[in-house]
C-alpha cells in the first residue's frame, strides 16, 4: 500500500494554500488516516505556525533531503491527533536546497512508514519549489480565490499539473484535479464584486470540490496555531470538513454559497 | 547492404527525427556550387562544417547524368559538408540514388511530389536548414495530413501548434493560452486566449469558434486584438476569415 500524495497548490500567493493544507491534513487524520503534511516553502515556512508546532521544529525537510537527519527525527507529531505528522520547511535555506531525488526519497520513505496520505503544501509561483511539490502528486487541490488573477494563475497551474508531473511524464494518467474555492463571500458575489462559483467553474472548466466562505474564524484559528477545521462551529471549519469528505469520495451538497438570511435580532441590532 | 547485421540481439533499430540540411541545386554547376557552399561554411563553420546534407535535385529541369551528380557530390564534399543522401524526387531520382549507393530521404516526399509534377524553376533561395515545405492547399482540396485533435482545454501558458494542418480543440482556450495552426482552427469550447490560423501564410485559413471571447485572433499574420469584445459577438459562435488584408469576424 503506497501513500497517496496530494499537492495543495495555486500559483498565486496568499490564497489559502497553507490554511488548506493544514485543514486537509487534519481532516484526513480526523477520519482515522495516517497523514504527513510537508511544507515545501523553503525559506518562508508557515505551515508549522498554522499547525501550532513552531516551537517543536528541530530538524526540517531540507535536513532530511540532505541526509542530515532521519525522517523519524524530523516528523513532528501533532498535539491533537496522534496519526498526524508535520514536516516543516527550513527557514534558513534557500529554495534550491531541495532536489528531485531527495524529495522522492522522502516520499518513498513515508510510504514505507505506512502513511495513507502525504499532503504537500506548495509555495506560490511556478518555480522549483512549486514544481517539486507537484511533481510526484497523485491528486491536486488547486486553491483559488474568486478573483480574476487568482483564476488565471490556477489555470496555469492546472496546465502544469497535466504536463509537468511524474504521472504525465510517464503516461500514467492524469493527476486528479480538485478545485477549491476559498475566501468566498456570497454577499460580495451577489453585488458583482466577486466571481461566483459558476463563473470560476466556467472559466476553468472543472467543478469545485468545495467552497470555503470568507470568515474571521480562519484568521483567528491561524493565529492561534489551530487548523480551522478543528473549529467545528465555524462555517469555514464545516466547509473544510465537507471538502475532506468529498475528497474521500463522499457526496455532500455545497454549503455557504448563498447570502445568509439574517435573523430578526440580527436585523434589529446589526450583525 | 548490412541486412545480415540487423539482428535483434546485436542492435536496436529505431526511427528518430533528425534535423538535416538540404542542398537544393538550382543549376548544374559544380564549381559554383562548391564556391557557394564554401562561403556558407566559412560564415557559420559551427553549423555547416562537416554537416550532414542531402542533395535535392528536384528543382532541376532535367535530372543530370551520373557523372555530373558525382561531380556535384564531390563539390559538396570539398566545400566541407558531408552529403549523405538524395532528397526524394521521381522514380528516376530513386534509380539514380541506388546507382550511387546513396539512400533516398523519404521524409521530403510529401513536400516534393507536387513540385515534381511541375518542375518549374523556383525563385526562392535554397533554405540552409531543410524542413518539409508547408502544404498550403486550400482546405476544400482536403488536407493530406488530416487535422490535429486536442481533447479538452488548453490552459493558460500552454501553446499548441498544428504544423501543416488544421487544429481541432474540443475544450476551451483559456486566457493566456495560444493555439496556432498552419491550416484552419476549430474550437468547440470557449476561446478566451489567442488563436492564429494560417501561420505559414495561408490566407484562406479560417477560425471557427463556438464561444467567442478571444484576446486575439490572427489569420496569415493579419490580427485583431480585443480589448473589449463587441457585444454582438461575445459568447457567440463565430467564424473569422481574411478578405484582402482585412480580418473579418461574423456570427455563424
Amino acid at each position: 500500500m503506497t501513500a497517496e500524495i496530494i499537492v495543495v497548490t495555486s500559483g498565486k500567493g496568499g490564497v489559502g494554500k497553507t490554511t488548506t493544507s493544514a485543514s486537509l491534513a487534519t481532516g484526513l487524520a480526523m477520519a482515522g488516516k495516517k497523514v504527513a503534511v510537508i511544507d515545501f516553502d523553503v525559506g518562508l515556512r508557515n505551515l508549522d505556525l498554522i499547525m501550532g508546532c513552531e516551537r517543536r521544529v528541530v530538524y526540517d525537510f531540507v535536513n532530511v533531503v540532505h541526509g542530515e537527519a532521519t525522517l523519524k527525527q524530523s516528523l513532528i507529531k501533532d498535539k491533537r491527533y496522534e496519526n498526524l505528522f508535520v514536516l516543516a520547511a527550513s527557514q534558513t535555506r534557500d529554495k534550491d536546497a531541495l532536489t528531485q531525488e531527495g524529495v522522492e526519497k522522502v516520499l518513498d520513505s513515508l510510504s514505507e512508514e505506512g502513511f495513507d496520505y502525504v499532503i504537500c503544501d506548495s509555495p506560490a509561483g511556478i518555480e522549483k519549489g512549486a514544481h517539486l511539490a507537484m511533481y510526484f502528486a497523485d491528486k491536486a487541490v488547486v486553491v483559488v480565490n474568486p478573483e480574476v488573477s487568482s483564476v488565471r494563475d490556477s489555470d496555469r497551474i492546472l496546465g502544469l499539473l497535466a504536463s509537468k508531473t511524474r504521472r504525465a511524464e510517464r503516461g500514467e494518467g492524469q493527476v486528479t484535479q480538485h478545485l477549491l474555492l476559498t475566501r468566498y463571500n456570497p454577499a460580495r458575489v451577489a453585488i458583482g464584486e466577486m466571481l461566483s462559483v459558476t463563473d470560476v467553474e466556467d472559466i476553468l472548466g472543472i467543478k469545485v470540490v468545495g467552497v470555503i466562505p470568507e470568515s474571521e474564524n480562519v484568521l483567528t484559528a491561524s493565529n492561534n496555531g489551530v487548523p480551522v477545521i478543528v473549529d467545528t462551529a465555524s462555517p469555514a471549519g464545516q466547509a473544510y470538513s465537507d471538502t475532506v469528505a468529498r475528497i474521500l469520495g463522499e457526496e455532500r451538497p455545497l454549503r455557504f454559497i448563498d447570502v445568509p438570511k439574517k435573523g430578526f435580532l440580527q436585523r434589529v441590532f446589526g450583525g | 547492404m548490412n541486412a545480415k547485421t540487423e539482428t535483434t540481439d546485436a542492435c536496436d533499430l529505431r526511427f528518430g527525427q533528425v534535423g538535416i540540411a538540404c542542398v537544393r541545386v538550382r543549376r548544374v554547376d559544380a564549381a559554383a556550387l562548391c564556391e557557394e557552399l564554401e562561403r556558407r561554411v566559412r560564415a557559420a563553420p559551427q553549423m555547416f562544417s562537416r554537416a550532414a546534407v542531402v542533395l535535392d535535385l528536384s528543382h532541376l529541369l532535367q535530372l543530370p547524368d551520373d557523372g555530373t551528380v558525382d561531380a556535384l557530390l564531390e563539390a559538396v564534399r570539398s566545400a566541407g559538408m558531408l552529403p549523405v543522401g538524395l532528397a526524394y524526387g521521381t522514380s528516376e531520382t530513386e534509380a539514380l540514388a541506388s546507382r550511387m549507393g546513396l539512400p533516398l530521404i523519404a521524409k521530403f516526399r510529401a513536400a516534393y511530389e507536387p513540385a515534381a509534377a511541375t518542375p518549374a524553376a523556383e525563385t526562392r533561395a535554397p533554405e540552409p536548414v531543410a524542413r518539409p515545405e508547408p502544404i498550403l492547399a486550400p482546405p476544400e482540396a482536403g488536407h493530406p495530413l488530416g487535422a490535429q485533435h486536442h481533447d479538452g482545454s488548453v490552459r493558460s501558458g500552454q501553446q499548441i501548434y498544428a504544423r501543416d494542418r488544421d487544429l481541432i480543440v474540443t475544450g476551451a482556450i483559456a486566457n493566456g493560452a495560444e493555439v496556432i495552426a498552419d491550416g484552419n482552427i476549430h474550437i468547440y469550447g470557449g476561446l478566451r486566449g489567442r488563436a492564429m490560423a494560417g501561420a505559414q501564410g495561408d490566407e484562406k485559413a479560417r477560425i471557427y469558434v463556438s464561444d467567442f471571447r478571444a484576446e486575439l485572433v490572427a489569420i496569415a499574420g493579419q490580427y485583431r486584438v480585443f480589448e473589449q469584445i463587441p457585444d454582438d459577438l461575445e459568447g457567440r459562435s463565430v467564424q473569422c476569415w481574411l478578405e484582402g488584408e482585412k480580418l473579418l469576424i461574423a456570427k455563424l
Side-chain angles (χ1 to χ4, degrees):
Chain A
M1 179 64 201
T2 55
E4 187 164 73
I5 299 164
I6 305 179
V7 60
V8 178
T9 183
S10 72
K12 196 175 181 300
V15 294
K17 282 183 297 295
T18 303
T19 304
T20 299
S21 298
S23 280
L24 177 59
T26 308
L28 289 167
M30 288 159 108
K33 310 288 183 189
K34 189 174 178 187
V35 185
V37 54
I38 307 178
D39 191 349
F40 274 75
D41 204 347
V42 176
L44 292 169
R45 83 174 204 222
N46 279 157
L47 180 69
D48 51 324
L49 287 172
I50 295 185
M51 295 295 292
C53 62
E54 74 275 13
R55 297 189 167 277
R56 288 188 288 148
V57 179
V58 180
Y59 295 108
D60 57 50
F61 189 26
V62 173
N63 293 136
V64 189
V65 164
H66 287 204
E68 297 155 0
T70 64
L71 190 58
K72 262 206 170 66
Q73 288 174 311
S74 311
L75 283 172
I76 305 162
K77 190 184 254 185
D78 184 72
K79 56 190 170 200
R80 286 167 289 263
Y81 299 95
E82 59 170 17
N83 47 343
L84 174 59
F85 295 84
V86 179
L87 190 49
S90 175
Q91 184 73 342
T92 50
R93 307 291 187 93
D94 68 18
K95 59 183 184 333
D96 294 326
L98 297 177
T99 62
Q100 188 160 309
E101 299 73 38
V103 171
E104 184 172 21
K105 230 168 74 188
V106 172
L107 294 174
D108 285 347
S109 318
L110 287 169
S111 245
E112 284 161 22
E113 293 286 323
F115 279 88
D116 299 307
Y117 289 94
V118 179
I119 312 297
C120 302
D121 180 23
S122 169
I126 50 175
E127 311 301 325
K128 191 175 181 188
H131 171 73
L132 285 175
M134 72 165 69
Y135 186 73
F136 299 100
D138 302 304
K139 277 187 182 165
V141 173
V142 177
V143 183
V144 61
N145 286 172
E147 47 111 1
V148 286
S149 61
S150 173
V151 170
R152 177 176 293 191
D153 289 0
S154 302
D155 194 61
R156 179 92 169 95
I157 287 291
L158 288 167
L160 294 175
L161 282 167
S163 58
K164 297 278 194 274
T165 53
R166 183 167 65 174
R167 275 174 171 269
E169 282 175 9
R170 290 189 180 170
E172 294 172 342
Q174 287 250 326
V175 173
T176 313
Q177 299 169 346
H178 295 296
L179 189 67
L180 181 65
L181 195 52
T182 59
R183 302 209 161 156
Y184 195 73
N185 185 331
R188 295 185 66 188
V189 173
I191 54 173
E193 286 181 359
M194 268 188 185
L195 298 174
S196 70
V197 179
T198 344
D199 288 339
V200 175
E201 285 182 337
D202 277 355
I203 297 172
L204 293 176
I206 57 174
K207 294 278 170 202
V208 296
V209 72
V211 177
I212 313 298
E214 191 172 47
S215 135
E216 295 128 40
N217 307 111
V218 177
L219 189 65
T220 320
S222 297
N223 283 342
N224 290 331
V226 182
V228 71
I229 197 169
V230 176
D231 182 1
T232 47
S234 74
Q238 292 172 23
Y240 270 119
S241 300
D242 287 353
T243 305
V244 171
R246 289 191 203 103
I247 288 172
L248 287 170
E250 223 178 283
E251 290 212 9
R252 290 195 185 181
L254 286 177
R255 293 193 275 172
F256 316 112
I257 55 171
D258 297 315
V259 184
K261 289 196 181 65
K262 287 190 176 174
F264 173 72
L265 285 175
Q266 272 179 310
R267 257 183 290 162
V268 172
F269 299 107
Chain B
M1 199 166 60
N2 52 2
K4 283 197 192 100
T5 61
E6 282 174 17
T7 60
T8 47
D9 293 328
C11 70
D12 280 338
L13 197 53
R14 296 241 173 98
F15 281 100
Q17 288 201 329
V18 288
I20 192 163
C22 178
V23 177
R24 191 183 290 171
V25 181
R26 286 193 290 167
R27 65 201 153 83
V28 187
D29 183 344
L33 179 67
C34 179
E35 203 174 294
E36 168 70 21
L37 292 178
E38 252 178 356
R39 205 168 52 76
R40 299 285 181 109
V41 174
R42 266 202 310 277
Q46 288 207 320
M47 185 148 181
F48 291 123
S49 178
R50 290 187 56 78
V53 295
V54 290
L55 207 58
D56 176 7
L57 303 171
S58 63
H59 281 253
L60 297 172
L61 287 171
Q62 209 177 343
L63 202 63
D65 60 48
D66 293 15
T68 318
V69 175
D70 249 344
L72 291 172
L73 289 170
E74 193 46 47
V76 175
R77 270 187 216 105
S78 60
M81 294 181 181
L82 298 174
V84 294
L86 297 183
Y88 194 91
T90 57
S91 53
E92 288 166 55
T93 326
E94 205 167 339
L96 176 73
S98 78
R99 284 201 299 281
M100 297 272 146
L102 283 173
L104 208 56
I105 311 294
K107 174 122 201 200
F108 296 100
R109 181 182 195 150
Y112 282 80
E113 254 169 0
T118 51
E122 238 186 276
T123 49
R124 278 216 288 171
E127 287 170 58
V129 177
R131 54 186 175 143
E133 288 268 287
I135 295 156
L136 299 181
E140 47 274 22
H143 272 254
L145 286 169
Q148 179 172 325
H149 293 263
H150 180 88
D151 275 326
S153 300
V154 184
R155 299 286 180 190
S156 184
Q158 289 182 323
Q159 191 188 55
I160 293 183
Y161 175 36
R163 179 183 286 270
D164 298 338
R165 63 182 80 186
D166 289 1
L167 176 64
I168 299 173
V169 181
T170 56
I173 318 295
N175 290 102
E178 249 175 37
V179 288
I180 307 165
D182 290 345
N184 306 299
I185 298 178
H186 307 253
I187 299 162
Y188 293 97
L191 171 62
R192 293 165 190 273
R194 302 160 167 238
M196 289 165 250
Q200 299 257 21
D202 181 4
E203 291 168 2
K204 292 199 182 75
R206 292 188 178 211
I207 300 173
Y208 304 86
V209 184
S210 50
D211 176 8
F212 186 82
R213 301 163 195 277
E215 287 172 353
L216 177 148
V217 287
I219 294 170
Q222 301 291 338
Y223 65 89
R224 274 175 75 172
V225 286
F226 299 92
E227 203 164 335
Q228 193 75 53
I229 300 163
D231 283 342
D232 58 325
L233 295 178
E234 182 168 7
R236 303 304 188 88
S237 18
V238 304
Q239 74 165 319
C240 318
W241 73 100
L242 212 53
E243 244 176 57
E245 300 223 314
K246 213 165 155 53
L247 180 60
L248 300 177
I249 303 174
K251 275 186 284 184
L252 279 175

